[in-house]
Amino acid sequence: MKKMIFAIILLLNITEARAVESLDFQITKNLDLVNASADIKKFWEDLQKNRSVKNIGKDQDFRHLYVGLQGVIEATLANSNLDVIGVIHTALPPTPLRTEGKVITEGLITPEIQNDPERLKTVLNRVNILPTYLATGKKLFACYPKLSQDTKVPGMDIYLKKLALFAGVLIDKPFSGSLPVELSGATYIIQDKTGKKYYFGLLARQASAPDDKATWIMIYGPESDETVKDHVNKVMTFLENKKIKLD
């Protein structure tokens, strides 16, 4: 009986490992499929190894790395058989859901990003990726400070259409008060078939408000990793304080 129990535990451990290894392998494969730059591939290798990557500096130096890799990971999660809950916590509703097609909504992003092909590509890619993610039935919570009636947000009409189109999976969660700039980003809660949790997270400014002195952070790894856990706890504590439940 003890041998049988040990065999079952061993099998579960192997299954857990394979779930992570499979996701890692698919992300690496997808980076090749989209012809990602050598810099982004090296960035991904560093993230796998260290579980966390942090930089401080210019938008033009880091957006293509952080948001470029974010798009590939989001696309991989969309096509995985893992249970995923996404949370976008930003100053305004998600940028990629406020435009559609190949023409960017006027005023959605700054002119400097609009005129930079490398950074513009990160925006355009996610315009297609997030609807694909939502179409699979995976949930995405959009958390942002409540907008006053006289606030004009570029592409808000498109966002409202997306809310109707993806009712039940795209969940609008405006909250009272403000969002600390250092918490602007996205967090993905990933759960395998055994119930073990992993996280992917990014802290970065929206393309409508780049900051050349911003802190960029990306995490990826199991719940058991202390660096990953500390990062996620900060985000989740903020959301809990704003009475936002991810269910």
Side-chain angles (χ1 to χ4, degrees), residues 6-202:
F6 176 76
I8 292 172
I9 292 173
L10 180 61
L11 179 60
L12 287 175
N13 288 337
I14 291 171
T15 303
E16 289 177 3
R18 283 178 180 169
V20 183
E21 288 171 1
S22 176
L23 182 59
D24 288 3
F25 173 79
Q26 196 59 53
I27 292 169
T28 301
K29 183 178 178 180
N30 287 343
L31 285 170
D32 287 332
L33 288 174
V34 300
N35 295 315
S37 68
D39 287 345
I40 292 180
K41 290 179 179 179
K42 176 62 168 59
F43 184 70
W44 165 235
E45 290 174 4
D46 291 343
L47 182 62
Q48 284 182 286
K49 179 181 178 181
N50 301 313
R51 300 300 188 190
S52 176
V53 180
K54 177 179 179 180
N55 293 101
I56 299 174
K58 294 183 177 181
D59 194 274
Q60 67 186 51
D61 292 336
F62 297 111
R63 181 169 295 278
H64 70 288
L65 293 175
Y66 282 81
V67 184
L69 180 57
Q70 177 189 10
V72 173
I73 293 178
E74 286 173 330
T76 307
L77 291 174
N79 290 295
S80 75
N81 60 359
L82 298 166
D83 293 326
V84 184
I85 294 176
V87 189
I88 294 182
H89 33 94
T90 45
L92 294 171
T95 302
L97 297 178
R98 288 188 284 125
T99 191
E100 51 193 354
K102 295 182 179 180
V103 179
I104 294 291
T105 300
E106 185 177 354
L108 186 72
I109 61 178
T110 62
E112 64 178 279
I113 293 178
Q114 179 88 48
N115 296 322
D116 181 339
E118 197 168 37
R119 284 186 284 174
L120 178 60
K121 183 181 177 182
T122 66
V123 177
L124 290 172
N125 284 347
R126 296 186 66 237
V127 169
N128 295 316
I129 290 167
L130 286 191
T132 299
Y133 170 94
L134 292 165
T136 68
K138 292 180 172 65
K139 287 186 177 181
L140 181 66
F141 289 79
C143 307
Y144 58 92
K146 288 180 180 177
L147 305 170
S148 61
Q149 289 185 341
D150 58 347
T151 301
K152 293 184 178 179
V153 177
M156 196 62 185
D157 56 331
I158 296 173
Y159 176 66
L160 293 175
K161 289 178 183 176
K162 296 284 174 66
L163 282 175
L165 179 63
F166 297 111
V169 288
L170 175 56
I171 302 167
D172 192 46
K173 288 287 186 178
F175 55 81
S176 299
S178 59
L179 173 77
V181 292
E182 65 271 17
L183 289 183
S184 173
T187 305
Y188 285 85
I189 304 163
I190 307 158
Q191 188 166 297
D192 65 21
K193 300 304 180 184
T194 70
K196 189 173 182 181
K197 287 184 179 179
Y198 312 87
Y199 295 97
F200 164 65
L202 166 75

Side-chain angles (χ1 to χ4, degrees), residues 218-236:
M218 185 172 280
I219 57 97
Y220 174 83
E223 187 177 35
S224 58
D225 184 275
E226 286 302 319
T227 300
V228 171
K229 189 176 181 179
D230 288 347
H231 174 100
V232 174
N233 281 346
K234 289 177 184 177
V235 175
M236 295 304 164

